[in-house]
Amino acid sequence: MKKIWEKDKINTSLSIVDDYCFEEGIDDDNKLVEYDVYGSIAHAYMLYKIGILSYDEFEKLKKHLIEIINLYRKGLFSIKPADEDVHTKVEAFLIKNLGEVGEKIHTGRSRNDQVLVDLRLFAKDKLLLIFEEAYQVVNTFLLAAKKYEYIPMPGYTHMQQAMPSSVGLWMASFAESLVDDLELLKTSYKLNDQSPLGSGAAYGVSLPIDRKLTANQLGFSKVQNNSLYCQASRPKIQLAVIQALVQMMMTLSKFAQDLLMFTTTEFNFFNVNPKFCTGSSIMPQKKNLDIMEYLRAKTHKIIGYQQISASIAAGLPSGYNADFGETKKPFVEAFEVTIKTLQLIKIVVPSLTPNIKNLKKACKKELLATHSAYELVKKGLSFRKAYKKIGANLKSIAEIDLVEILKQTNHLGGPGNLGISKAFTRLKNEKLWRKKQQVEFKAVINKLLK
Amino acid sequence: MKKIWEKDKINTSLSIVDDYCFEEGIDDDNKLVEYDVYGSIAHAYMLYKIGILSYDEFEKLKKHLIEIINLYRKGLFSIKPADEDVHTKVEAFLIKNLGEVGEKIHTGRSRNDQVLVDLRLFAKDKLLLIFEEAYQVVNTFLLAAKKYEYIPMPGYTHMQQAMPSSVGLWMASFAESLVDDLELLKTSYKLNDQSPLGSGAAYGVSLPIDRKLTANQLGFSKVQNNSLYCQASRPKIQLAVIQALVQMMMTLSKFAQDLLMFTTTEFNFFNVNPKFCTGSSIMPQKKNLDIMEYLRAKTHKIIGYQQISASIAAGLPSGYNADFGETKKPFVEAFEVTIKTLQLIKIVVPSLTPNIKNLKKACKKELLATHSAYELVKKGLSFRKAYKKIGANLKSIAEIDLVEILKQTNHLGGPGNLGISKAFTRLKNEKLWRKKQQVEFKAVINKLLK
Amino acid sequence: MKKIWEKDKINTSLSIVDDYCFEEGIDDDNKLVEYDVYGSIAHAYMLYKIGILSYDEFEKLKKHLIEIINLYRKGLFSIKPADEDVHTKVEAFLIKNLGEVGEKIHTGRSRNDQVLVDLRLFAKDKLLLIFEEAYQVVNTFLLAAKKYEYIPMPGYTHMQQAMPSSVGLWMASFAESLVDDLELLKTSYKLNDQSPLGSGAAYGVSLPIDRKLTANQLGFSKVQNNSLYCQASRPKIQLAVIQALVQMMMTLSKFAQDLLMFTTTEFNFFNVNPKFCTGSSIMPQKKNLDIMEYLRAKTHKIIGYQQISASIAAGLPSGYNADFGETKKPFVEAFEVTIKTLQLIKIVVPSLTPNIKNLKKACKKELLATHSAYELVKKGLSFRKAYKKIGANLKSIAEIDLVEILKQTNHLGGPGNLGISKAFTRLKNEKLWRKKQQVEFKAVINKLLK
Amino acid sequence: MKKIWEKDKINTSLSIVDDYCFEEGIDDDNKLVEYDVYGSIAHAYMLYKIGILSYDEFEKLKKHLIEIINLYRKGLFSIKPADEDVHTKVEAFLIKNLGEVGEKIHTGRSRNDQVLVDLRLFAKDKLLLIFEEAYQVVNTFLLAAKKYEYIPMPGYTHMQQAMPSSVGLWMASFAESLVDDLELLKTSYKLNDQSPLGSGAAYGVSLPIDRKLTANQLGFSKVQNNSLYCQASRPKIQLAVIQALVQMMMTLSKFAQDLLMFTTTEFNFFNVNPKFCTGSSIMPQKKNLDIMEYLRAKTHKIIGYQQISASIAAGLPSGYNADFGETKKPFVEAFEVTIKTLQLIKIVVPSLTPNIKNLKKACKKELLATHSAYELVKKGLSFRKAYKKIGANLKSIAEIDLVEILKQTNHLGGPGNLGISKAFTRLKNEKLWRKKQQVEFKAVINKLLK
């Protein structure tokens, strides 16, 4: 397809150039079609309001833009490398169908602010999905923590048995971790919720456009101000999102690493439903927990995407740079990987069953060394003396019922006081916040398409 | 020095082991002395309140702990590799001076939660400093934006001249960028503001400790709950801070890259005070802007530290892991680099003077191509047709006064409507928030040491 | 498709598991089909030689394996997520077509060593292609260096004009850089050229297999010995390749950054053929060098892939880990990006034309400051005194013909003594080495398929 | 100290500038003093040979340069931030002591090529040390492999018991891994062994300097040609070294991760000498293998340094850029960490003792599943049928002596055929190569200082 900006045959860019620059991003551009339409309708509406389009022209454009969504959903509107990108394809469609009216849609905007709008709306949608999935995972961990609250297990430091722990403490730790991660995600959500539309190529446009109007039409909570910063913010806000996703993957990666160790023959603390396992082509007996190994590896991948997104942007001068194009894929993929991971964890956790017998057997008497020292402390010995006394004679440690110890460790956040019901309450409030965001966004889009 | 946990001569760890594990961290441990004392006083007070220490014992401990601060400030309390770490050294000091009373200080805590407390307090202090410096930098950029609001300069995309821009738009873009970055930093501040004290080695302690009390004593806004998560959160909250610092460095790195280009002989848009320049050993004529090159490079370093902090933690099982030790240095250094960078930018920006003549000369007529197309649009041509018409005949572009164009581009955030006074107002509110935090923290520490 | 290792319906893995683990790798698995066939033929031949297959059985397997290649080339053999991977699909095809004979192919091997073989052969092919492309790029740079040997241009340090340089020196520097990079690539080629076949799952097999025979059949220069190390070497040798590709991309990224700066309006040192440029949707006048921006960004991507490949593998215990699966894509993609980049540079370089007039005009008198100091040195002044004298009076610098200075700077490697003909000779020898490798590899594969 | 290039008081750079740019590198500059002297002697000798210095002047310079080494070794010559760097300090020392003769030393060179020489000589020294330490580690692993050749242990894939392995196979795998890593290190050694002296600031010098002479004087195997590439090669060759060090750390990190798992209470496969362990401040019973956790973490650090070194350099234009300064520290530290790690592993490995009883007990019957399938294959069943038969009835697996199976797995590289004596032979040859390099380098330096 001849590109909008191509002035003549002679200067047409080579296909190797298109391929090098645009091919990789095409898949992701196909994911932006609906958002590009939303942004275009809002923009056209504003052009009508400021007198650049007549109402009739706006109506025509809107109708055909909605038609693009219909075609897209039927698989009849897909972007190919020769189309360059979703924006060019959408404009070309309008021009083909509407002639001169179509030629007006791009008045007062640039693909630079257009892609920003698309990515912000796309990200909003995905973030709302991630919140939903993450809340379900938190719920899942809390339920498991409640169910196995007082099942003792060895607690480890330095990968060595340290002190008594519980399946409850272990499960609940991931719930609390995710809730903190979601704080970071909320801040990135907030940064993402700014409208870049109207910033043009980075220097605004010498037309009396109404940026507040388009921001409202699209449900953004504010206009992102400085037009030059709008462009600078593209890789930065994407990075802020990825940074929060990295934190979530790290939480889940720890769970994966634990589970891989706890399901070795040697530990054998948990049973995993075989539906989550894979086999070997050579060894008849194998049941492998590939999913947890992949989760472990994918975490490093997303951390690497964080690195790539930051490095690409770090050395760039002000203004739009085509380097931004390479940040699209890590952004989109970071979302997809995190969503899939949450969906998986959501069903793996409830399927785990602790091998209570093995867990009990694994708890060596030495786990009680600190507790024994505290018993001496209660009798008046200084802690350091008690520590040395027990250390010098580990055999003197008395066997005590582990559940007793767990219940005795009942200060805030100890295994005997996990605070699960408070956590459920907090979760409920978080869900309400998300619900509100979701409902508002949906309402805005529905109104736009009506 | 014999370590607390060393049971006998035979089992003493080799010096190569100490060296491998602890040497590198010693410098950073020396930066934690005061915070270790704060945490220890709060912990001792709590031990008194729950009846493990008498009031007299608490008073003695407090007195000697404050003495440590005095010695430290005189350079008479410094940790060496053989001391292992700050915590061991502090405990050893108390035991040496107070005998059995000193042996009681470690009751109900572990070095694992102790170092967490130290790092959280250290981070709080540094974060408050960074907010202060960053606000000053924002102020500096806004002042420069106001001063040079309508000085035209070429606006670039793809490193090619694109549309008219202004020194004001350029300066103000960094201010807005930093303000967004500070949103992320505030969330990390919030996550950091949780008290891990009382989580012990990761599994709590079987003593009736009062975690709320110590949290209040130290000015934390809440108790960090799950004791196992407390440990897991160490590298994660450190990472959250670094992630926000990365964003700030990226903002400033863009300024550095711009400035390096804008001060080449070929661009020559700005004069830099020679006090910020360095010379060459071979070339008599050179004035180099090393600081901006270093800033550019240090940004990649902090991005790398983000990577290191994340990778180290990503694969670790639950519970304390000594790997955490290696995350201390990138954390401390990320703070130091960012602070120095802000302090530098704060004085570089006001020292810059635009070469107004060169800036004007640099603005080629083609910058007005889009504007010219809009003029045709105003006469009724569709944008795409106008675009093509101008594109086919760039020579037809009329010379127009650039300041006029800038002023005409007066939608929200355009060069003609930078919103600087609104930005100053926002900045003022941010400063109030910080001030409140600072005052409260100071009051808490003063009370602790009284 | 039911997987080979699936024992019954009940234990079938969920599709979400397949999706999470295998979906992403499917594209890459499709690139391994031919190599999987090569490895399978060699393995089957060996099984025949040690008496596990009859000659007839071997012939049947070989025939159907070659048939897979035929189908594959016609697009009729493609792996889908439900097929799990290329190895399972190939075995399934043989079993479907040959029944019991097909069930014998996997005797004495594992998918773990099979995928290693596939990746090594794939990498060999790609490496040979990269050498070819890289030699052509070196040739291109050398030709340009020769062509513009004495075209003066300013030489920069710290992005400031420093001393006289030449287009020749600049062009030739990239040629020399690439030749050094190829040294690293050759070492990775050598490491890759070891046969892992027969290492089984990582622990060998209790069958009298002949690893030397299969290594020879497949053209490997040696057997990779320790069966456990064979698995460990998978991410490491992949990483060694990526590390060398990183170096190549860094060489070309410097060229990109230079070119982007040298083609700004302000520098305007080179003309680029418009066929390599793209336009803007909003600005009629723009000609952007997107390809160089993409090259700059893709370099950071490949550096990030290096990071991902290393981080994933760094913390893994011995033996095969499914995490390896996630290293496949960065490996394959690093090849593809580097190849495309070389192919692009190969045609961009000869299309560049220096703006001789601008280059000359850009050369400020100050470039001669060091030369002027040397002139004083020749008259007996100490260098430091001469340096200061010139530095204090830059206006005293005499205009001298730049070409004269270039020619005078004729020590080894100076602009007056680039050593281009020696470089051509070296290149010729490198090409001979590659040719030999290519011919031998082709011969081996032809023999295998005969 | 006033810097060489400072023309007057007014233009003196601010101390905050010195601090920002040079402070961090000062430690590393102190490590370069001797190399700076070597380079300076060689350079002065060449200046004498081409007639710029008299023999007497050369002798004086040489004498005082050697004096610098003497002072340095006594701790009386150390660089401070105000000195800027080692080069400035050395020149200033000569000028202070020799007046006008000192002012001649910098004729025909730049700090840019000077620091390159220093870093190359420094790296050569460190590389030769690393080869020595690494060979000893290889030796250590081979000795352990020989000693425990037929001690059975479970072999793992996916962290699950897979097939019979041996302590010998495990130990030998690290030896082979390191030997491959050293191939990469040798290539970086070769790239590093090029003399950049005479490339000046990047554009050569207009004096008839003799680069071959200085290269020979300093023992470089060749002159690095293109003067512009000399500068470009600085971060690249540093990176090549770090890339090889990353590979070595990855090998050793795998050993660390294995050992941490194999010394958990649950596995308990090996005893570690308590001298390598550390204790806990709270838990009396703990013996932690901190060193292996630190090794695991330091590996990620060095991988991060690889990333930082590459990212910093990736986007830079041609010519010297001050950003290079930030690559010095990761380079120096990567050496130090790797050396310490090798020295540690060298003594840890021989101190390990396998818990033969536990290893035996750990080997579950299912490890023999594949072997059992092969037994059916030998009786004529197809492998896939045998696999399914065993898979469906794992209880049918016969107990077989594990040592028998190990010995039976005697193809190349299997546990029954480790090829240890061949490995010792290869090691011997490697050592000879290193010895030769070491002897030659020492001879050159001795001659230089005579």
Side-chain angles (χ1 to χ4, degrees), chain A residues 184 247, chain B residues 184-185 187-188 191 235-245:
Chain A
L184 294 164
Q247 294 274 3
Chain B
L184 294 164
L185 201 64
T187 308
S188 74
L191 293 181
K236 281 172 64 65
I237 293 179
Q238 290 177 176
L239 176 61
V241 171
I242 298 175
Q243 286 173 327
L245 300 181

Side-chain angles (χ1 to χ4, degrees), chain D residues 73-306:
Chain D
R73 289 185 181 162
K74 290 180 199 146
L76 301 171
F77 189 93
S78 82
I79 299 123
K80 303 200 173 47
D83 297 325
E84 190 165 352
D85 58 30
V86 61
H87 327 297
T88 303
K89 170 95 175 179
V90 164
E91 183 176 345
F93 177 90
L94 296 174
I95 293 173
K96 196 183 147 201
N97 284 278
L98 293 170
E100 187 155 342
V101 174
E103 291 178 336
K104 293 184 174 179
I105 184 73
H106 209 61
T107 322
R109 75 174 180 188
S110 162
R111 283 181 303 175
N112 295 1
D113 58 340
Q114 204 176 343
V115 67
L116 265 172
V117 172
D118 295 5
L119 287 167
R120 297 269 160 92
L121 294 174
F122 167 82
K124 197 172 196 173
D125 238 3
K126 291 293 180 197
L127 285 168
L128 288 170
L129 177 55
I130 284 189
F131 280 112
E132 177 56 30
E133 295 292 342
Y135 293 146
Q136 290 186 29
V137 172
V138 171
N139 191 56
T140 286
F141 276 121
L142 289 176
L143 287 173
K146 189 148 192 63
K147 192 167 175 186
Y148 305 120
E149 191 166 359
Y150 289 113
I151 305 291
M153 71 190 285
Y156 298 83
T157 63
H158 303 264
M159 295 178 74
Q160 293 289 331
Q161 291 205 358
M163 289 174 70
S165 181
S166 66
V167 178
L169 181 73
W170 181 63
M171 288 289 195
S173 73
F174 300 106
E176 189 167 334
S177 187
L178 273 175
V179 170
D180 269 7
D181 298 340
L182 293 172
E183 282 299 306
L184 293 164
L185 201 64
K186 266 197 254 178
T187 307
S188 73
Y189 180 90
K190 186 181 163 189
L191 293 180
N192 183 69
D193 202 15
Q194 307 183 70
S195 177
L197 195 53
S199 60
Y203 305 96
V205 292
S206 56
L207 289 170
I209 56 168
D210 185 343
R211 297 188 62 197
K212 205 150 201 171
L213 179 61
T214 49
N216 287 340
Q217 289 279 309
L218 293 165
F220 284 108
S221 72
K222 61 177 279 208
V223 171
Q224 188 171 29
N225 190 54
N226 188 293
S227 64
L228 186 53
Y229 172 57
C230 286
Q231 284 309 315
S233 77
R234 177 170 163 193
K236 282 172 64 67
I237 293 180
Q238 289 177 178
L239 176 61
V241 171
I242 297 175
Q243 287 172 326
L245 299 182
V246 159
Q247 294 273 2
M248 297 177 73
M249 290 298 289
M250 282 172 68
T251 294
L252 301 173
S253 160
K254 187 178 285 292
F255 174 71
Q257 181 74 344
D258 281 349
L259 200 57
L260 284 165
M261 194 146 72
F262 291 162
T263 55
T264 55
T265 305
E266 288 74 10
F267 277 79
N268 199 8
F269 287 177
F270 290 92
N271 286 324
V272 183
N273 189 319
K275 285 180 190 304
F276 293 109
C277 297
T278 56
S280 156
S281 71
I282 176 172
M283 296 167 285
Q285 86 282 14
K286 290 299 294 285
K287 283 192 292 180
N288 300 323
L289 209 44
D290 283 58
I291 43 172
M292 291 299 144
E293 297 174 276
Y294 270 94
L295 166 41
R296 198 168 54 176
K298 283 175 198 285
T299 301
H300 282 296
K301 183 166 76 173
I302 305 308
I303 295 172
Y305 283 1
Q306 172 185 253

